[in-house]
Amino acid sequence: MEARDTAYQWVDAHRNDMIDLWKEMVTIDSGIGVKEGGMAMGNLCAGILEDLGFSIRRVSYEKCGDTIIAERGDMTKPYIILMGHMDTVFFRGEPERRPFTIRDGKAYGPGVLDMKGGVAILLSALRALDAAGVSDFPVKVILVADEEPAHCFSDAPQLIEKEAKGAKCAFNFETGFTDNSLVVQRKGCWRFFVEVFGRGCHVGNDPENGRSAILEMAHKIIEIEKLTDFSKAYNVNVGTIEGGTVANAAPAYCKVECDFRYTHPEDLPVLRQKVADVCAKTWVPDTVTKLTDSFGFAVMPRLEGNMKLLEVAQEVAAESGFPRPEARLCGGGSDAAYTTAAGVPTLCATGVEGARNHTVEEWADVESFFLRVKQMAGILLKVKDRESF
Amino acid sequence: MKTMQDIFAAIDSAKPAMMETWRSLVDRDCGSGNKAGVDAVGQDIKAFLEPLGFKVRFHKYEQAGNMLVAEYGDMTKPFVILTGHMDTVFADGTAAERPFTVKDGRVTGPGVLDMKGGITVMLYAVKTLLEAGWDRYPLKIILAGDEEVGHGWSDAASDYRKEAKGACMAFNYETGFIDDGIVLERKGCAQYRFDFHGVGAHAGNNPEDGRSAVKELCHKALEMEALTDFAEGTTVNVGVISGGTVPNAIPENAWCRVDVRFKTMAGIERVEKAFKEITDETYIDGVTTACRCEVKMGAMERLASSEALFEKAQAVAAEAGLPAMKAIAVGGGSDSAYVTAEGVPTLCAMGVKGQYNHTVREWAEESSLTERAKLSAALLMKL
């Protein structure tokens, strides 16, 4: 494996360059709703990909940065997809408040882990292979700009699924886990609100006129929570509740936010119906209940091919002396749902390792950043000539 | 002993002094949270009563205004209780912002109606009678320092009950009603905060590790609300609820505020016993529950003896040419609850008349100051 050694050597020789790229990305403010930051990330990545010989297509949206679709090689043949998202969950101005910093082997900054580190790894692995003279395989890079708000500004889910048709495998450079595991399966999620409208009254003066929204909601929550069935790999959580204003008034309003996780796509319509049935039932007369969809993300099913890809990653690790990656079922969603929906074997969480996503404590393991570039270069060398998985 | 007409004339001529006492009680900050302010009121009232022959002592509390107890005469005999409270609901600085003001027969200022006017009525009814040689009953004056916060930070409620033992009747100089309603019955009110503590977990990654505080709360809210019994006059309302932080985490914490109204002490005792059981039981393993009583005003139960006392008082008022009164039941609480709890017949709302307690619109009728002092003097002379 002369090419692999060359690629690994390139990585060892370009540690500072790769860190600079990572830092440049974290410094770009591509937080929620910051369209120009999303555009800036897209321009940066598209520029690097063009230099590597990719041709670029863009899909533009009103409220978020472009989706970048970059292709290289003969796309009529089964190709590899490398993907990720360029946005973060933070509000505008976060990179200024919390700039990219490395301390004691850990990198900090908004999106350092989720997933600017992963995007930098994606591009660096392509550069390392290019340096090793390997650029003759069909590959498509898909980078989106509104993953964190569940693609509420774009048609990315449909677009990814469409762009994935004809691919032989996909890698999503989402947040890596510190135990080296790679994600072969993700749960789906359905978020919803339930609101109950009752009737207020003063409890001292006319208590009999009250219709407690909290009482009605309590009945409903108990029924909704009963839907959890771990043996069927789904669970519902009433995560937040707010109701009433003062102790001495019957509460006229109560609201809950719920989160339903499921592993098998076919369970979702059944669960939706069950929740709707609970909401349709009334315990406290004269109360009215409203069920509203919030958002959701689809299941990443465990395709047989996902496990084959994991075996490739395990081979690379064994041959290179890297820690062995095991299979992980992850409770949280990602865009890997949409490549697997197209039937494309996918490995997810191939990005930099770390923890505390979506918080100011978010950190990434710097050494894993280099290791994951090598690992991906090694994986690509093994899969580039295979027809299928 | 002078005649009722002499006493009434003495009260009329004392009006300037009464107005001055009323003003001095209003123009000072003594909200329930201002212990020093409330205690200073107690000292001034002590200075007023001692020259009249009262022995004055205080129940002292660390975190609440002290309770004044002033006794006159042979306390081994059945005595009359005259009671009220010295604290107001207003924050420091209100006295300077809205000082005692008389305009067009209406008096305004913090606590002017609730219940500095009532204290003034009581003090001058007693002073006038004692200076005229009245000695029909031993007297016990009880003035609480933390009524507006339901004695939540003191033992005043139980001290009240101890002090009430041995009394033959009681008058509470709470806010008077402009339609001459006299209160024989008040609902009690208590408020509780329940806190639930479970175990947080990510809803996607390790939901089986979570123990939902919200779920525990819901089971218990159903139990609490089921304690409502309209026939008994008891209502339980889970009024405010809050829990969790984000939808994708099993909620670690939740809380609720619960209001209980009750007509009888048996009613609140039943609810409190149930609350203890609800606190101790567990629906979701790993979730703990804590319950704290934040406010509690006892119920002033309607006693047959209070009704009889009212009938006699009505006759005295008629004889004295004072306005006819009517017996009423109200929703809001007062310390009369602790007196009726000892079986002492009690008339409440004997203070100056007015409206809009606890608000900046609070006002009292100037003319009711002497009218109500005459009513109390007449009752003590004739009952």
Side-chain angles (χ1 to χ4, degrees), chain A residues 187 191 225 228 230 234-241 257-261, chain B residues 196-216 243-254 284-287:
Chain A
K187 289 181 191 172
R191 292 265 173 86
E225 289 257 2
T228 290
F230 289 121
Y234 55 68
N235 59 280
V236 64
N237 177 52
V238 177
T240 70
I241 184 165
E257 274 181 293
C258 308
D259 178 304
F260 221 128
R261 301 283 165 142
Chain B
F196 303 84
H197 185 71
V199 180
H202 188 281
N205 293 329
N206 60 336
E208 59 282 356
D209 293 339
R211 300 290 181 269
S212 169
V214 168
K215 201 164 145 184
E216 181 79 7
T245 51
V246 289
N248 61 356
I250 312 300
E252 185 178 342
N253 293 303
I284 315 293
D285 276 343
V287 183

Side-chain angles (χ1 to χ4, degrees), chain A residues 177 187 191 202-205 207-208 212 214-215 217-219 221-222 225-226 230 235-251 254 256-259 261 328-332, chain B residues 187 191-192 201-209 212 214-215 217-222 225-226 230 235 237-251 254-255 257-259 261 331-332:
Chain A
F177 290 87
K187 289 181 191 172
R191 292 265 173 86
H202 187 280
V203 294
N205 298 332
E208 54 287 330
S212 171
I214 288 176
L215 181 59
M217 188 68 90
H219 281 289
I221 289 172
I222 289 167
E225 289 257 2
K226 273 186 197 161
F230 289 121
N235 59 280
V236 64
N237 177 52
V238 177
T240 70
I241 184 165
E242 293 294 335
T245 51
V246 290
N248 62 8
C254 187
V256 293
E257 274 181 293
C258 308
D259 178 304
R261 301 283 165 142
R328 174 181 280 261
L329 160 65
C330 182
Chain B
K187 268 193 183 178
Q191 291 183 355
Y192 304 83
H202 188 281
N205 293 329
N206 60 336
E208 59 282 356
D209 293 339
S212 169
V214 168
K215 201 164 145 184
L217 191 171
C218 288
H219 281 287
K220 292 185 168 176
L222 296 188
E225 292 257 357
F230 285 112
T235 57
N237 178 56
V238 179
V240 193
I241 189 170
S242 179
T245 51
V246 289
N248 61 356
I250 312 300
W255 58 264
R257 281 213 161 83
V258 183
D259 181 289
R261 301 282 159 137

Side-chain angles (χ1 to χ4, degrees), chain A residues 16 22 63 92 94 182 259 266 388:
Chain A
N16 290 341
W22 192 6
K63 290 184 175 164
R92 185 185 289 273
E94 190 69 9
L182 293 172
D259 178 304
E266 62 273 21
S388 64

